[in-house]
Amino acid sequence: MTGVHHMLVHFPLALWALALVMILLRTLTTGELARLSERALVPVLALSLLGALAAVISGFLVWPWEAALSSPLTRNHILMALWSTSLWAVITALIWLIGSALWDGIGRWVMLVLGLIASCLFAITGTLGGHLAGVTSFFSIILDSLGWTVYETFYLPSMSLVLLFLIGGIMVVLGVTGRKT
Amino acid sequence: MNRQRTGLMMILFVGALALAWLTHGTGVVRNDLSRNIYIPDELTMPLQVQVAYNENLIFFHFRWPARNAYVYHDMLRYEDGTWVRHGASRAGPDPDNTYEDRVTMLVDDGRVPDFGRFGGYITIGANARFFTNQADKAEVAGHPHLGGTLGVNEVQKHLPATRSDMADWRTVVSEETLQQQRDAGYFLDLWHWRAGRSNPVGMSDDQWIGEHRHGDSGKAPFSTNWDSKLKQPKYMFDPARTGQYALRWEDVESNRFDFEDIYYLSEDFAVPFDPSHSWVNGDVIPRRLLRIGDGSRGDIRVYGKGRWEQGYWNVTLVRALVTGNPDDKAFNEQGLYNLGFAVHRDATGSRWHYVSLPCTLGLGRDADITAEPFTGESPPWTDTWKEIKLFYPGQVNWPYLTSRAHAGSVNIAEGVPVHSRHTEVQLALYGVEREFNSEIIRQWIWTLVSGIVLMMALGIGLSLRLGRYNGGVR
C-alpha cells in the first residue's frame, strides 16, 4: 500500500498547486485568464478533494493503526494531512456556494489568504511524508528554525485547545449575528 | 460592517493558528519521579574516543564534557546515633551529589546477532528497572532463576535469546541453554568505569550481559561496607594513616573533593569500624570499600589517572588483548568488533544515561573507529578522536521496537540498521515522547479535532457573511 499511497498523493499535490495558481490569478488579475480560472476552480478543487480522499484512505492502510499512532512523525503527517484537506474543503465549499460574488471586495483576499495557508499545511504534510519515506527535505529545517522540530508530535496544551474551540464558536456567531434575511 | 466582521474572522483564524504554533508541544512533558520519569535538560552530548594497541594490550581513551565531576557514591552519614544511607539508585539526579559518574562500553565480536545493527536497544527487555512499568521487586525475587539462582530483584539488561518471549522477562530459558549461549559467545562484554567505585584505585569494573548483567568471575574493585545486623559500617578510615575517622557531610553535600586527597575508602587505609568512637552528626563513611580487583573482574585498569579538569573527564582504560577468560571478548589483529558506549553524568544512575548507536572497531582494518597499532609501552595518541554523539534513550525497549506498534519493526526484521533510519537527536526526542505516549496521543487527537472544528467554523462564518454581502448563498 506504500507505493499506492505515494502515487495517489501526487493528485491532490498537483491539483491544489494548480488551484493556488488559479486563486492567485483570480485575485490579482481581471482579464480572460482570471475569468477562466474562476470557472475552472470548482472542478479542479472537487477533483483535488477526491484525490486527497483516496490518498488519505490509502495512507491509513500503510501501517497498522497502533504503529501510526505511536510514531510522532506519522501523527504529525496525519494531522497536517487532515488539516490541509479540511481547509481546502472549506475553500471548495465557499467557492461553490457563493460563486462569482465571492471574488468581489474582501472575499478575493480571504480566498488568497486561505489558499496560501492551505498550501502551506499541505507542503508540511508532504515534507513529513518524505521523512517517513526516508527522504528528508530542507523545508523541515525551516520549520525547525521557526520553532517546530518535526520529530516531536504537534499537540496543544489544554488551554490552547479551549481557546481554539472558543474562537471557532465566535466565528460562527460573527457569521450568524446581524445577518439580514 | 460586513467587511469588518469578515476581517475579524480572518484575524481570529490566523490568530488561532499562531496560538497553536506558539504553544504546541507544551503542557505534557514534565518530570514525575513517582513514575520514574526525569527528563535531562540536554538530550544529547558528545563523547570522544581513541583506541590504540600494542602486542599485548589495548587502550581506550575517552573524553567527555561534564559541568561537574561526581566521585562520591553511596555514603553513610551519621545522624543522632544512626547511619543514614545517601546515594542509593533513584530516579533522576541524586540530590546529595552522592552518585558517581561513569563511562561504559559494550563489546561484541559478532556473535550477538543484531547488536551491530541496533546496539544497546536489544538489551532492554520488558519491565526493566526504573521504567515506569518496572517489574515488581517481590515477583523478580521470587523468580526461580533471577531471584533464586542470581539473588536479584530487578530486571536489568539482558539479551533477547535469553528469554523464550522477549516481551516477558519471566521466560528465562533453561540453565543448560544459558550455558550453551555463553559457550557460543552469545554475551556482551561490559567495560564499566566508575568515578567513585573503581577510578580511585586505578581500576574499571568488568562485567558481561547475558540473561542479566553479571560481574565477571573474580573480585570486584569494591565491596559493600555495611554490617546489616549491627546497622553500622564494617570499616572506617584509619586515623593513623589518614588523620581522620570519617569524611564530613558538608564536603560531600557540596561535592567538594580533591583528586589527590582522601574522598573514598580503600583497603589500603581502612580499619575495622569502632562503634565506641565519639561519632558526631555529619560524619560520613563510604558504604563502598575499594580494593584492587582480581581474576577476570580485575582485567581492566585505568592507564595513568582518570581525571576531570576544566569541564572534561579524561579516562584511559587498558586491558590485555586476549585475557583468556570466558567472560571477556578477545581482541585480535584483523578483528572487527561492535561497540556501544554510554556515559552517566550529573549525579544520575541506572537508565539516566546517554548512549550511542552501535559503531565498529577495527584492528588493522577500516571501521568507524580504527585502532592505532604501536610498539612500546605508551600509546602515542595523536589528534585522531572519533566523535560520537550520545543521546538520552528514554523508555524504549526491544519488545516495543519489534512489535506491530513500531512502524519500523518490519525494517528491524529485515536487518536494516538503526542508523540508516534514525539520527541520535530523533531517537532522543522519540525516547522522551515514549515516556508520555498515552498523554501525547490524547492531546494530539484533541488538537486534530480542534483544528478541523476551527476550519469548519470559519467556513460557516464566512459563507454566511460573504454570501449575505455578495448576494446570498446559492
Side-chain angles (χ1 to χ4, degrees):
Chain A
M1 191 51 70
T2 308
V4 174
H5 179 66
H6 290 174
M7 181 190 70
L8 289 174
V9 293
H10 287 86
F11 287 97
L13 193 158
L15 291 168
W16 278 335
L18 175 63
L20 180 64
V21 172
M22 294 160 85
I23 289 172
L24 277 166
L25 284 170
R26 183 62 188 88
T27 304
L28 303 175
T29 66
T30 54
E32 182 62 24
L33 206 52
R35 282 191 292 278
L36 272 174
S37 295
E38 184 190 320
R39 282 201 294 274
L41 260 174
V42 169
V44 166
L45 287 170
L47 284 173
S48 306
L49 282 179
L50 284 175
L53 190 64
V56 167
I57 291 170
S58 64
F60 280 129
L61 299 175
V62 170
W63 282 322
W65 187 235
E66 63 262 45
L69 272 186
S70 291
S71 159
L73 261 181
T74 314
R75 289 194 283 243
N76 292 336
H77 186 55
I78 292 171
L79 182 133
M80 289 298 164
L82 294 181
W83 275 14
S84 56
T85 302
S86 299
L87 192 52
W88 276 114
V90 166
I91 293 168
T92 307
L94 287 172
I95 293 173
W96 178 59
L97 287 171
I98 300 176
S100 295
L102 177 67
W103 303 100
D104 298 332
I106 195 173
R108 67 169 63 189
W109 301 109
V110 167
M111 286 299 102
L112 181 61
V113 171
L114 293 185
L116 289 171
I117 293 173
S119 297
C120 210
L121 291 175
F122 194 62
I124 296 173
T125 308
T127 296
L128 294 166
H131 274 273
L132 288 168
V135 186
T136 57
S137 81
F138 182 69
F139 191 47
S140 56
I141 298 172
I142 296 174
L143 294 174
D144 190 50
S145 65
L146 291 174
W148 179 38
T149 304
V150 296
Y151 302 122
E152 292 178 289
T153 303
F154 194 97
Y155 65 85
L156 301 183
S158 299
M159 184 52 72
S160 294
L161 292 171
V162 170
L163 286 172
L164 253 61
F165 283 116
L166 194 63
I167 290 170
I170 292 171
M171 288 193 297
V172 172
V173 170
L174 283 173
V176 171
T177 56
R179 183 167 184 261
K180 295 174 185 174
T181 55
Chain B
M1 181 67 178
N2 193 76
R3 185 188 175 93
Q4 289 167 343
R5 288 193 178 218
T6 303
L8 182 57
M9 270 189 260
M10 289 305 292
I11 289 169
L12 284 171
F13 179 65
V14 173
L17 293 181
L19 173 74
W21 189 266
L22 293 173
T23 62
H24 77 85
T26 59
V28 172
V29 175
R30 60 172 69 90
N31 294 332
D32 183 354
L33 299 183
S34 68
R35 295 168 58 205
N36 290 332
I37 290 175
Y38 175 84
I39 310 299
D41 295 335
E42 295 175 54
L43 294 181
T44 62
M45 65 168 282
L47 172 70
Q48 293 176 301
V49 183
Q50 289 179 310
V51 186
Y53 65 106
N54 61 18
E55 193 179 350
N56 300 311
L57 303 171
I58 187 164
F59 300 75
F60 287 84
H61 187 189
F62 302 102
R63 186 171 186 268
W64 69 95
R67 281 183 289 270
N68 295 295
Y70 293 92
V71 299
Y72 292 121
H73 183 92
D74 208 358
M75 296 287 173
L76 298 166
R77 175 175 59 92
Y78 186 79
E79 195 68 32
D80 298 333
T82 60
W83 291 92
V84 182
R85 186 181 181 191
H86 293 266
S89 292
R90 56 176 291 137
D94 188 284
D96 303 318
N97 298 324
T98 48
Y99 213 95
E100 65 188 352
D101 290 336
R102 292 187 263 169
V103 63
T104 54
M105 178 174 72
L106 291 167
V107 183
D108 181 47
D109 53 7
R111 290 188 283 175
V112 177
D114 290 338
F115 179 72
R117 286 186 286 270
F118 309 111
Y121 279 119
I122 71 166
T123 68
I124 311 301
N127 308 112
R129 180 186 191 220
F130 279 111
F131 272 48
T132 295
N133 66 349
Q134 69 176 343
D136 178 67
K137 288 192 175 190
E139 189 181 1
V140 180
H143 186 275
H145 181 76
L146 297 176
T149 305
L150 303 183
V152 298
N153 62 5
E154 292 174 316
V155 177
Q156 295 197 8
K157 281 184 166 61
H158 56 267
L159 295 180
T162 63
R163 303 295 193 274
S164 57
D165 177 4
M166 186 60 179
D168 186 351
W169 59 268
R170 302 168 191 83
T171 61
V172 181
V173 298
S174 70
E175 304 259 357
E176 182 187 8
T177 304
L178 289 174
Q179 185 58 51
Q180 289 168 339
Q181 289 177 348
R182 284 196 288 274
D183 294 343
Y186 185 70
F187 68 90
L188 296 171
D189 202 352
L190 173 58
W191 295 37
H192 196 156
W193 173 87
R194 304 167 184 274
R197 283 179 284 179
S198 72
N199 187 57
V201 290
M203 302 285 303
S204 166
D205 202 354
D206 190 357
Q207 299 176 302
W208 61 277
I209 310 264
E211 86 281 23
H212 187 71
R213 190 181 75 184
H214 299 272
D216 283 13
S217 62
K219 201 166 79 174
F222 60 90
S223 64
T224 301
N225 180 30
W226 179 246
D227 187 325
S228 54
K229 284 184 183 168
L230 299 176
K231 299 195 183 313
Q232 64 185 33
K234 292 176 183 173
Y235 298 93
M236 63 180 192
F237 290 93
D238 180 353
R241 274 181 283 184
T242 66
Q244 63 192 75
Y245 285 85
L247 304 174
R248 287 299 301 167
W249 180 246
E250 50 269 27
D251 290 334
V252 173
E253 191 180 30
S254 60
N255 199 29
R256 196 162 51 229
F257 68 93
D258 183 339
F259 279 116
E260 307 309 322
D261 204 349
I262 300 291
Y263 61 91
Y264 59 94
L265 182 62
S266 149
E267 285 182 346
D268 289 344
F269 45 80
V271 292
F273 180 74
D274 179 6
S276 65
H277 175 70
S278 299
W279 299 101
V280 296
N281 287 349
D283 280 343
V284 172
I285 293 179
R287 193 173 168 275
R288 303 292 181 169
L289 178 67
L290 306 194
R291 60 196 182 187
I292 301 299
D294 66 17
S296 183
R297 193 138 185 199
D299 285 332
I300 308 168
R301 310 246 165 174
V302 174
Y303 179 75
K305 290 181 176 179
R307 288 289 182 269
W308 177 87
E309 284 176 326
Q310 298 179 329
Y312 282 85
W313 270 109
N314 251 298
V315 176
T316 302
L317 302 180
V318 57
R319 197 203 76 179
L321 286 163
V322 180
T323 65
N325 296 317
D327 43 19
D328 290 325
K329 297 277 182 175
F331 293 100
N332 292 295
E333 184 66 30
Q334 286 297 301
L336 190 64
Y337 304 91
N338 297 307
L339 307 177
F341 303 99
V343 163
H344 285 81
R345 64 177 188 180
D346 302 326
T348 60
S350 58
R351 73 174 183 81
W352 284 275
H353 54 359
Y354 295 87
V355 304
S356 76
L357 292 177
C359 62
T360 54
L361 169 71
L363 273 67
R365 56 194 296 179
D366 288 339
D368 298 330
I369 304 171
T370 301
E372 195 175 336
F374 71 96
T375 53
E377 300 290 316
S378 303
W381 299 120
T382 54
D383 193 21
T384 53
W385 291 101
K386 170 69 177 177
E387 290 263 3
I388 295 171
K389 185 176 281 187
L390 307 183
F391 62 97
Y392 169 69
Q395 296 190 43
V396 176
N397 63 25
W398 193 239
Y400 160 70
L401 292 173
T402 53
S403 73
R404 279 169 57 88
H406 176 222
S409 60
V410 177
N411 300 106
I412 288 177
E414 291 172 350
V416 179
V418 57
H419 58 70
S420 70
R421 296 292 298 182
H422 299 299
T423 65
E424 292 86 353
V425 171
Q426 196 179 354
L427 290 168
L429 295 173
Y430 286 179
V432 172
E433 289 218 357
R434 191 75 198 147
E435 303 200 50
F436 302 90
N437 195 46
S438 55
E439 297 96 321
I440 287 177
I441 288 176
R442 184 195 63 218
Q443 291 300 116
W444 169 78
I445 289 173
W446 278 110
T447 303
L448 175 61
V449 171
S450 68
I452 293 173
V453 167
L454 185 76
M455 290 167 199
M456 296 303 148
L458 176 72
I460 293 168
L462 285 177
S463 68
L464 294 174
R465 296 311 310 172
L466 292 174
R468 153 80 184 85
Y469 177 71
N470 294 332
V473 175
R474 60 183 172 192

